[in-house]
Amino acid sequence: MAKATPRSKKKRTNTKTSEINTLRYIKAFWITFASGIFLIVLLFLFASWGFYGEMPKFEELENPQNDLATQIISSDGVQIGTFFKENRTPINYEDLPQHLVDALVATEDARYYDHSGIDARGTVRAFVFLGKKGGASTITQQLARLLFTGKRAKDWSKYFQKIQEWVIASRLETQYTKKEIITMYLNKYDFLNQAIGISSASRIYFGKKPKELKVEEAAILVGMLKNSSLFNPLRRPEMVKTRRDVVLNQMEKYGYLTEQKRDSLKQLPLELDYSPEGHSDGTATYFREYVRSWMADWVENNPKGENEEGETEYFDIYRDGLRINVTIDSRMQKYAEEATTEHMANLQKEFDKQEKNNRTSPFRDLTKDEVERILKRSIKTSARRKKMLSQGKSEKEILKSFDEKVEMKIFSWKGEIDTIMTPKDSILYYKKFLRSGLMSMEPQTGHVRAWVGGVDYKHFQYDHVYQGARQVGSTFKPFVYATAIDQLKLSPCDTLPVSQITIPVGSHGVIDTDWTPKNSDAEYTGYMSLKEALAKSVNTVSARLMDKIGPEPIARLARKTGVKSDILEVASIALGSVDLKLSEMVGAYSTFANQGIYTKPVMITSIEDKNGAVLYQFVPETRDVISKEAAYVTINLMEGVTRSGSGTRLRTGPSTRYSIKNVVTGHPYQFDNPIAGKTGTTQNQSDGWFMGIVPNLCTGVWVGGDDRATHFKDTEFGQGATMALPIWALYMRKCYADKTLNVSKDAFKEPERLTIEVDCEAFKKRNVKDENIDDEFTL
């Protein structure tokens, strides 16, 4: 056998070497590939083990924890407010319009229904083009970030966060359906301006429920999902409109809209109905603060139970998503606020006009020293002083700060004003504004339907429905008459002398000197029926009735009708010298409309947890106070006020002469239905009242200054008929115009056995003598 040549040997060696190198390359490839796979697996394992940050537990995936806003729901099913750390109101998938879901999928995750949390095609595209042709985050990944990983990380951390998102997204896809993931995502996202979640966003930006959103409105909200700070419709409307059109293009691209529909929608302007839901914004602000206070007491006395450590747990109205069902009717509340704003704006104009020549404005009948004392008292009780004291500031530093000018926003009837003034000057500025309160209640149920505690909660937080007790004046006289009728069985047609009466020292709580009340018109001759005397608010007749029955039973009747404020049992009670709250007055007057039965005012009917379980249910509280007959006769007396007394302007026709008074009082009203009412005007026109009743609604209105020295110079504008009655009239006119409310125009129900004659014509026909009952009375 011939020996191989050196050349052949070299060739074989090269071939063998090549094969070895090839094997090495293959081996290296598989080792590298396996290592890469192992590394990727390890990266994901590290993520699932929490090496890059704490991962959610299985239980947390089952029940992701969100702070849920507590909702305040009106009697007609409208959300009128919330308490929240995050203003989130969760809704179900069924509450979402289909075009909103379509817009979301088309814009954020076109293959949403085809993947299991991670879009492979999108991920590859993102890697190849380094994100220049779109990211790879699916809706599920975005939810994972919102729920568990927080804000977008920076630098290398963002890659580890992305791995976390992938792991969590995969787990979410195994735990929830596609519909549930969409619902959680839309419920979680922060749309800014306190609009957390799609339900809040729909209300705040468009004033409607999600189900009511139009396609173009849904497109705006979906467009905000990319970056709500950047695409903020309040700050960058043009950018938002452009982004909305991108969403509409995507909907057309994936077959959710026709080209023609898309083009027509893109022509529409950006239209918002922005309704902020901050604590000082929206409707029923004063009432919502009452609810907050009420809930604080309820939470303290109704614990959830005990936690695992045996500690007592309490409900959190800002996080637990409670549902508070209240008696307020959103429509009536709206009408009450509109009526208050309309009248008070006009009344303030007249007040400001009269103050131009007042050297101590906005105070009257005070010296400069007395004005200074008022300001010092206001500084002492101010929130600014309390805050500075908590910061360790001395009294000297605090007083000095009140004389230093600062930037501030101040209230005006034309809107907030940015200005610079001293805090002391701002106190004086706010003292000039007249304040008001309105409360409206169903006498039969006790349900409070409207509650307006003031003209603007942001700037005037004192609630003149529930907090403020003011002198009631002549609106207290019906209690005097009702007590006399109940005890003495008087008829509205019975008469008393109008002449002056003197209550001597030592009688009925009179001290120091004899008490001789005067009439506003200074007339003291002849006799007058009880009906006419109440209609004209004759003081001497009220004093005579009080003298016969004494102040004790009058005060006792008031307390039985729910009055809790202090009532001094003195002679001057006949003229309304007591200070009472508007809420007390409405509850008490409702007793007359409810046939002598007092029904405690109800504001909250029930409380439910986030799952709908009832935690609280109100129980009606009623009691008999006076007879049906006495209650009806008192109502009949008060009907005379609106037919022939100080309330007759409720029935006034159109005025042929323009005057500022006609503008302020709101003529004409032209009510033709039975109305029982009573006006009240206190000394120096400091307080104006009107209490008005129809069979199924009792409404009280108070108007006055923050200080009693702030008032009109005379009774033309300073009386209750001018200050308060117009608000009642405007409110009721709006209520009657809304036929869905069923506010009664019927006559008051007469008792079956009425032994007291209320028809004065029939009274005369039966030859009942028209004589005084002064000295013939015996109790």
Side-chain angles (χ1 to χ4, degrees):
M1 186 173 180
K3 291 183 178 180
T5 65
R7 185 179 180 88
S8 300
K9 185 176 181 180
K10 185 177 182 180
K11 184 177 181 180
R12 285 196 302 271
T13 300
N14 289 340
T15 302
K16 188 174 182 179
T17 300
S18 177
E19 290 176 352
I20 291 172
N21 289 336
T22 301
L23 289 173
R24 285 177 179 173
Y25 292 145
I26 293 172
K27 184 178 180 180
F29 169 79
W30 283 111
I31 290 174
T32 303
F33 180 78
S35 298
I37 296 296
F38 177 76
L39 181 60
I40 292 172
V41 172
L42 195 61
L43 287 172
F44 278 87
L45 284 174
F46 284 166
S48 64
W49 293 339
F51 283 18
Y52 313 139
E54 188 175 355
M55 293 288 283
K57 299 176 182 178
F58 180 83
E59 294 78 9
E60 291 175 321
L61 289 174
E62 284 283 350
N63 298 291
Q65 296 299 310
N66 289 322
D67 288 341
L68 303 179
T70 288
Q71 304 172 72
I72 305 174
I73 307 298
S74 68
S75 61
D76 55 324
V78 175
Q79 180 175 302
I80 61 173
T82 53
F83 300 131
F84 58 84
K85 294 294 183 184
E86 293 184 345
N87 189 21
R88 179 183 293 106
T89 305
I91 59 173
N92 299 319
Y93 184 85
E94 292 72 24
D95 299 318
L96 301 173
Q98 187 59 46
H99 53 256
L100 174 66
V101 176
D102 294 341
L104 171 63
V105 172
T107 307
E108 296 294 323
D109 192 354
R111 288 177 292 279
Y112 174 69
Y113 297 107
D114 300 324
H115 62 66
S116 298
I118 301 173
D119 182 3
R121 287 172 58 185
T123 301
V124 171
R125 183 191 64 226
F127 274 115
V128 171
F129 296 99
L130 301 178
K132 293 180 180 179
K133 292 190 176 182
S137 288
T138 64
I139 292 173
T140 316
Q141 286 176 257
Q142 293 179 48
L143 174 62
R145 185 187 307 121
L146 290 175
L147 288 174
F148 303 111
T149 60
K151 297 180 179 180
R152 292 182 184 272
K154 297 180 179 180
D155 302 323
W156 284 97
S157 299
K158 65 183 179 182
Y159 298 110
F160 294 120
Q161 186 187 68
K162 181 63 67 174
I163 294 172
Q164 283 183 296
E165 289 177 14
W166 283 342
V167 173
I168 297 171
S170 298
R171 292 180 179 179
L172 287 172
E173 288 276 353
T174 63
Q175 298 297 126
Y176 299 101
T177 66
K178 292 289 187 179
K179 290 182 178 179
E180 288 173 332
I181 289 171
I182 284 177
T183 305
M184 283 194 291
Y185 178 52
L186 291 175
N187 278 333
K188 180 69 176 177
Y189 192 81
D190 185 351
F191 291 87
L192 292 189
N193 300 306
Q194 298 173 334
I196 300 181
I198 193 67
S199 181
S200 296
S202 299
R203 288 195 314 273
I204 289 174
Y205 290 117
F206 301 107
K208 57 181 65 173
K209 298 177 181 178
K211 200 74 172 178
E212 301 167 343
L213 289 172
K214 299 176 182 178
V215 176
E216 65 273 19
E217 294 169 340
I220 291 173
L221 296 180
V222 168
M224 292 178 70
L225 295 172
K226 185 175 183 178
N227 185 331
S228 56
S229 296
L230 181 62
F231 299 103
N232 184 337
L234 302 183
R235 297 182 62 185
R236 302 182 180 90
E238 289 303 318
M239 286 184 64
V240 171
K241 184 178 184 300
T242 300
R243 178 62 183 166
R244 180 203 69 178
D245 293 346
V246 170
V247 174
L248 295 175
N249 287 337
Q250 288 295 104
M251 294 181 74
E252 187 274 331
K253 176 181 177 181
Y254 291 102
Y256 296 117
L257 288 178
T258 64
E259 185 177 348
Q260 183 180 7
K261 180 68 172 177
R262 178 204 63 185
D263 292 342
S264 65
L265 292 176
K266 288 174 69 173
Q267 299 303 313
L268 297 175
L270 197 69
E271 292 186 355
L272 301 176
D273 182 10
Y274 181 61
S275 305
E277 292 186 354
H279 186 56
S280 299
D281 301 311
T283 188
T285 46
Y286 292 90
F287 174 76
R288 281 154 42 196
E289 181 55 32
Y290 164 82
V291 173
R292 183 199 298 272
S293 176
W294 190 95
M295 287 296 297
D297 292 337
W298 180 84
V299 165
E300 186 176 345
N301 294 297
N302 294 273
K304 277 185 182 180
E306 294 185 350
N307 58 23
E308 295 178 356
E309 288 74 31
E311 300 171 333
T312 302
E313 282 192 319
Y314 295 90
F315 289 100
D316 188 335
I317 65 171
Y318 303 101
R319 300 177 184 272
D320 285 347
L322 304 178
R323 178 187 171 106
I324 306 172
N325 297 304
V326 300
T327 58
I328 294 293
D329 185 292
S330 68
R331 298 160 295 182
M332 298 174 78
Q333 180 68 30
K334 176 175 177 286
Y335 302 149
E337 291 177 3
E338 289 175 347
T340 299
T341 298
E342 182 178 341
H343 176 65
M344 292 303 294
N346 286 329
L347 191 67
Q348 189 68 47
K349 287 180 184 177
E350 176 60 25
F351 182 78
D352 292 344
K353 178 182 175 182
Q354 294 186 18
E355 288 296 297
K356 287 182 179 179
N357 297 321
N358 180 11
R359 293 182 179 180
T360 57
S361 179
F363 310 111
R364 288 189 177 274
D365 311 320
L366 295 184
T367 64
K368 289 185 178 181
D369 288 340
E370 289 172 325
V371 171
E372 191 63 27
R373 280 197 291 271
I374 289 177
L375 294 178
K376 287 181 178 179
R377 186 168 61 245
S378 297
I379 289 173
K380 190 174 182 179
T381 59
S382 68
R384 180 185 181 86
R385 177 178 176 273
K386 292 176 182 177
K387 183 178 179 180
M388 294 184 73
L389 282 174
S390 68
Q391 295 171 344
K393 303 292 185 181
S394 67
E395 285 291 347
K396 185 177 180 180
E397 290 176 304
I398 293 172
L399 289 175
K400 182 181 178 182
S401 75
F402 274 84
D403 290 319
E404 296 173 349
K405 290 187 176 183
V406 295
E407 294 182 357
M408 62 177 70
K409 290 181 181 290
I410 58 174
F411 171 83
S412 83
W413 279 108
K414 294 181 179 180
E416 277 191 332
I417 299 173
D418 290 310
T419 189
I420 298 175
M421 65 168 62
T422 68
K424 185 176 181 180
D425 287 339
S426 73
I427 290 174
L428 190 62
Y429 173 80
Y430 281 116
K431 290 290 185 183
K432 79 173 186 178
F433 287 98
L434 298 175
R435 317 297 172 86
S436 68
L438 177 151
M439 179 173 164
S440 191
M441 166 182 155
E442 287 182 357
Q444 294 74 25
T445 64
H447 289 188
V448 174
R449 296 306 189 192
W451 177 310
V452 184
V455 295
D456 183 272
Y457 182 79
K458 184 176 181 180
H459 297 280
F460 307 97
Q461 296 189 0
Y462 194 78
D463 186 350
H464 289 285
V465 169
Y466 194 73
Q467 290 178 301
R470 296 294 290 251
Q471 194 175 89
V472 295
S474 294
T475 51
F476 197 77
K477 289 177 180 177
F479 297 101
V480 179
Y481 282 72
T483 304
I485 291 166
D486 199 38
Q487 291 192 2
L488 306 175
K489 304 301 178 184
L490 300 181
S491 164
C493 311
D494 285 321
T495 59
L496 280 173
V498 182
S499 59
Q500 283 192 307
I501 178 175
T502 297
I503 309 297
V505 172
S507 178
H508 304 318
V510 176
I511 57 175
D512 295 335
T513 184
D514 296 345
W515 182 59
T516 305
K518 298 178 180 180
N519 293 331
S520 60
D521 58 5
E523 291 291 332
Y524 302 102
T525 59
Y527 291 83
M528 191 175 286
S529 70
L530 296 188
K531 195 163 193 173
E532 185 180 2
L534 183 62
K536 295 183 178 180
S537 206
V538 179
N539 290 337
T540 53
V541 173
S542 295
R544 288 181 183 278
L545 288 174
M546 185 283 306
D547 188 40
K548 289 299 181 182
I549 57 180
E552 295 87 354
I554 299 171
R556 188 162 57 247
L557 172 64
R559 294 188 186 105
K560 285 183 178 180
T561 59
V563 173
K564 296 187 182 300
S565 297
D566 291 337
I567 300 177
L568 292 177
E569 297 175 357
V570 294
S572 60
I573 197 175
L575 308 186
S577 59
V578 298
D579 287 7
L580 302 180
K581 297 177 181 178
L582 180 58
S583 55
E584 293 175 321
M585 290 292 285
V586 173
Y589 263 68
S590 293
T591 303
F592 302 130
N594 195 30
Q595 299 183 309
I597 300 173
Y598 168 74
T599 301
K600 185 178 180 180
V602 178
M603 281 68 81
I604 298 173
T605 56
S606 65
I607 303 171
E608 303 170 20
D609 67 14
K610 63 183 179 181
N611 298 314
V614 177
L615 306 174
Y616 164 82
Q617 184 75 48
F618 95 100
V619 177
E621 184 179 324
T622 63
R623 57 175 171 266
D624 290 336
V625 175
I626 55 175
S627 67
K628 291 182 179 180
E629 187 173 50
Y632 178 76
V633 173
T634 304
I635 286 287
N636 183 268
L637 282 169
M638 286 193 285
E639 283 189 82
V641 174
T642 67
R643 293 194 179 279
S644 60
S646 56
T648 53
R649 65 183 64 188
L650 288 172
R651 307 186 184 284
T652 305
S655 175
T656 57
R657 182 175 64 89
Y658 173 84
S659 70
I660 183 63
K661 185 174 181 180
N662 286 335
V663 172
V664 169
T665 57
H667 288 172
Y669 300 123
Q670 295 181 290
F671 291 104
D672 56 6
N673 54 293
I675 299 170
K678 185 70 189 80
T679 58
T681 307
T682 61
Q683 193 172 23
N684 296 329
Q685 304 86 47
S686 295
D687 302 272
W689 293 78
F690 183 71
M691 306 297 299
I693 311 172
V694 296
N696 66 348
L697 197 66
C698 175
T699 303
V701 181
W702 168 88
V703 173
D706 182 48
D707 282 271
R708 299 186 192 214
T710 302
H711 57 79
F712 282 99
K713 62 182 179 181
D714 53 46
T715 57
E716 181 182 14
F717 286 95
Q719 61 179 305
T722 304
M723 288 207 292
L725 179 146
I727 295 178
W728 187 94
L730 292 169
Y731 166 65
M732 290 299 292
R733 197 157 61 182
K734 292 172 184 288
C735 287
Y736 280 131
D738 188 340
K739 302 301 181 183
T740 64
L741 294 176
N742 297 315
V743 177
S744 176
K745 285 191 173 183
D746 297 334
F748 291 91
K749 185 177 180 180
E750 183 178 316
E752 293 181 1
R753 297 179 180 178
L754 184 63
T755 62
I756 298 175
E757 183 59 72
V758 296
D759 184 344
C760 291
E761 291 299 322
F763 188 89
K764 292 177 181 178
K765 288 180 180 178
R766 289 210 309 263
N767 296 319
V768 176
K769 293 181 179 180
D770 186 11
E771 59 184 4
N772 74 71
I773 54 174
D774 186 23
D775 296 323
E776 303 302 322
F777 271 145
T778 56
L779 298 178

